[in-house]
Amino acid sequence: MPESWVNSAERVGADLHLQLAATGPRRAALARALREAIQDGRLGTGVRLPPYRSLAADLGLARNTVADAYAELVAEGWLTARQGSGTRVAERAVPAKPARLPKKAATASRAPAHNLLQGQPDASSFPRNAWSTSTRRALAAAPNEAFGPGDPRGRIELRTALAHYLARVRGVRTSPERIVICSGFSDALRLLFGGGVLRGALAVEAYGLAFHRALLAAEGVRTVPLGLDDHGTRTEELAGRRAVRAALLTPAHQFPLGGPLAPARRNAAIDWARAGGGVVIEDDYDGELRYDREPVGAVQALDPDHVLYVGSASKSLSTALRLGWMVLPERLVDPVLATKGQRERWTSVVDQLTFADLITSGAYDRHIRQMRQRYRDRRNRLTAVLAERAPHIEVTGIAAGLHAVLRLPPGTEASTVKAASWLGLALDGLAGYRHPDADTPPLDGLVVGYATPPDHAYAAALDALCQILPAMP
């Protein structure tokens, strides 16, 4: 059965993909193909068909053949034809059967009753109106070349906006030429280590995301843990790690324990990188979201040639946006671009242009200020409820970000996490974040994502949290 596309530039109506029998009367073959397209849902109710002259030209048929086929389907009730409205698919008594879902899709896991998982901003807080306004404005202003083959660095509009914004808000020292747009922190790690831009072992914090460790292990990267204490990551330990060529740190707000990196240890990391030609990878995942004081500036400002700064919109806007950026030492720009390569790895141009407009218009600053107030209130409610109902549970770390760590009595974490599961409360214990080779003593605690629940569900989530906490020893 030959396949034919109906795509005349002059016709009005839906694009069609029809299969006409190779033998037999052409009118009957066309009528049968149209019936099948209606029956299987490819032509839905109310869809306008091309004028018979256009369809005849596209299929290489006589005009009368198409006109007769249309007339036959109108008479049978498949189509309707009205003056000025064209020929359309008629309302039908029996709708097309829905596609059968795979068995696995029908058995999707049930959502938790209360969600306090970390790393997820309140989805209802996404600035839909501002994003929509910026999209319209950015598309209207975008040059035609923006929608052709582009620069693997990312759109110049966004890189320029980020260079100014990061300098103003985080103290980052850079130019648009040293910024490369990516789809988030995980993508940045793959670009840096998957393509061999950075080689050798990687020093990481004793507590961090197991997902990142697994991603690095899949790329053949050995991770070496650095100790942690009340002053942050023990960066002085870098001097004794001879195989380490790069160090991954979360200096503004250690993840997940929540403390900032002390000034002396910031300097120690820079001194180590300079002495051996190493690189500090600064994960500034929520640096804008500090609530008790002005955010501490980025470590990158101390030495842009030895610090690789990574940020994203996943905490400030949405995890679904998949939009991040790397501020690179100059010597690493070309190797990263060579690794990035194929355009399939590039972030949507429309999202880049929209985010650039959101920044330059001031809407992003306004959104950040609103989120600071919202999440500050969320954290304050958490600490107030705990002070009243579980005063023996300590909330650790600085007032920042989207999560807090609750320290538990030794030996109680596993049972508390199990109790949370029974109650339908989704949250994490600290054990899953500890590096398996860490020398830092294990800590018992819960990682509570206070930003995740919508406003109407937050009180119930806090009540469930208090129910599962261990009693005072």
Side-chain angles (χ1 to χ4, degrees), residues 142-374:
N144 291 336
E145 55 87 14
F147 304 101
D151 188 334
R153 288 177 174 84
R155 287 299 305 173
I156 184 60
E157 296 90 342
L158 178 55
R159 291 186 287 114
T160 301
L162 282 171
H164 292 300
Y165 175 80
L166 294 173
R168 172 169 56 86
V169 174
R170 304 296 298 127
V172 170
R173 296 160 55 195
T174 190
S175 65
E177 290 71 32
R178 290 171 61 170
I179 296 177
V180 173
I181 304 302
C182 57
S183 65
F185 187 76
S186 295
D187 187 38
L189 286 182
R190 292 187 182 96
L191 287 169
L192 293 171
F193 292 95
V197 175
L198 298 179
R199 300 180 184 276
L202 172 68
V204 298
E205 295 163 330
Y207 278 79
L209 272 177
F211 171 74
H212 289 160
R213 294 196 296 267
L215 183 157
L216 291 162
E219 300 292 351
V221 178
R222 181 170 68 91
T223 55
V224 178
L226 301 173
L228 285 162
D229 59 23
D230 292 340
H231 300 288
T233 306
R234 299 183 61 87
T235 54
E236 63 271 20
E237 294 178 0
L238 286 167
R241 306 288 201 268
R242 299 203 174 188
V244 169
R245 306 298 299 162
L248 171 57
L249 305 175
T250 52
H253 186 213
Q254 199 285 323
F255 183 84
L257 298 183
L261 187 62
R265 290 184 174 175
R266 287 178 163 228
N267 292 331
I270 296 297
D271 292 344
W272 165 80
R274 287 174 175 170
V279 175
V280 174
I281 303 170
E282 181 175 10
D283 180 4
D284 199 32
Y285 68 100
D286 64 0
E288 302 145 308
L289 300 174
R290 184 154 182 179
Y291 314 130
D292 58 346
R293 50 164 290 177
E294 286 296 316
V296 176
V299 171
Q300 189 267 0
L302 298 176
D303 193 333
D305 291 331
H306 290 93
V307 180
L308 193 163
Y309 176 95
V310 185
S312 79
S314 65
K315 304 298 184 290
S316 59
L317 287 172
S318 169
T319 55
L321 196 55
R322 312 313 307 154
L323 186 58
W325 46 89
M326 292 182 282
V327 179
L328 298 165
E330 187 173 3
R331 69 184 184 278
L332 296 182
V333 173
D334 287 342
V336 166
L337 296 178
T339 299
K340 195 174 184 185
Q342 297 297 322
R343 289 196 295 271
E344 283 71 16
R345 296 189 69 167
W346 299 3
T347 305
S348 162
V349 164
V350 174
D351 287 345
Q352 291 186 57
L353 293 172
T354 298
F355 189 41
D357 183 87
L358 201 73
I359 294 172
T360 57
S361 69
Y364 188 58
D365 282 82
R366 291 191 292 274
H367 173 72
I368 292 295
R369 287 195 294 271
Q370 292 170 0
M371 290 302 98
R372 282 201 196 107
Q373 184 60 53
R374 186 170 189 172

Side-chain angles (χ1 to χ4, degrees), residues 85-105:
S85 181
T87 304
R88 298 178 182 271
V89 177
E91 296 283 346
R92 298 181 54 226
V94 181
K97 293 182 179 179
R100 182 173 296 176
L101 294 175
K103 290 183 179 180
K104 288 185 179 179

